[in-house]
Amino acid sequence: MKFSTNSTTTVLDPKTIKIKYPEARIIVLDDNFNTFEHVANCLVTIIPGMSEKRSWQLAVEVDREGLAEVWRGPFEQAELYHQQLISRGLTMAPIEKT
């Protein structure tokens, strides 16, 4: 195989700054009408990778602390999960950008 010695090379500017996609937090708030079971079931159904055990831990945290961060990640996904949790009747804080 022959390589050309007349080729040009481009070097990227090392000062280029990479901008991360915005991330967000989803927070469930305590209320007086959603049961532990309903909160846990919503979390395990809607949040990818959520285990049943973790969903129950978060439901207890919501009750004890008044709120719990249930997911953190890309903003676009946060919007989807946030809306789905609202549609199931959970009381939600506004999406927080991180």
Side-chain angles (χ1 to χ4, degrees):
M1 182 192 292
K2 291 186 177 182
F3 292 99
S4 171
T5 57
N6 297 335
S7 67
T8 59
T9 326
T10 304
V11 176
L12 297 177
D13 182 4
K15 295 177 185 174
T16 302
I17 298 172
K18 292 183 182 181
I19 299 174
K20 290 176 57 176
Y21 288 108
E23 288 203 342
R25 297 171 7 138
I26 298 177
I27 298 171
V28 175
L29 302 174
D30 189 25
D31 57 40
N32 293 325
F33 48 88
N34 283 304
T35 65
F36 286 96
E37 185 175 14
H38 180 65
V39 172
N41 286 339
C42 289
L43 294 177
V44 81
T45 302
I46 293 169
I47 306 295
M50 178 71 64
S51 70
E52 192 171 325
K53 180 179 180 181
R54 181 68 179 139
S55 70
W56 277 95
Q57 290 170 340
L58 289 167
V60 169
E61 184 178 336
V62 167
D63 184 58
R64 287 187 183 156
E65 304 297 325
L67 57 87
E69 179 183 308
V70 298
W71 189 83
R72 180 186 293 243
F75 185 77
E76 290 78 14
Q77 285 177 275
E79 289 179 312
L80 173 65
Y81 304 149
H82 188 264
Q83 187 57 46
Q84 289 175 330
L85 292 168
I86 287 173
S87 72
R88 296 282 185 99
L90 297 189
T91 304
M92 305 295 296
I95 297 173
E96 290 186 13
K97 287 187 180 180
T98 58

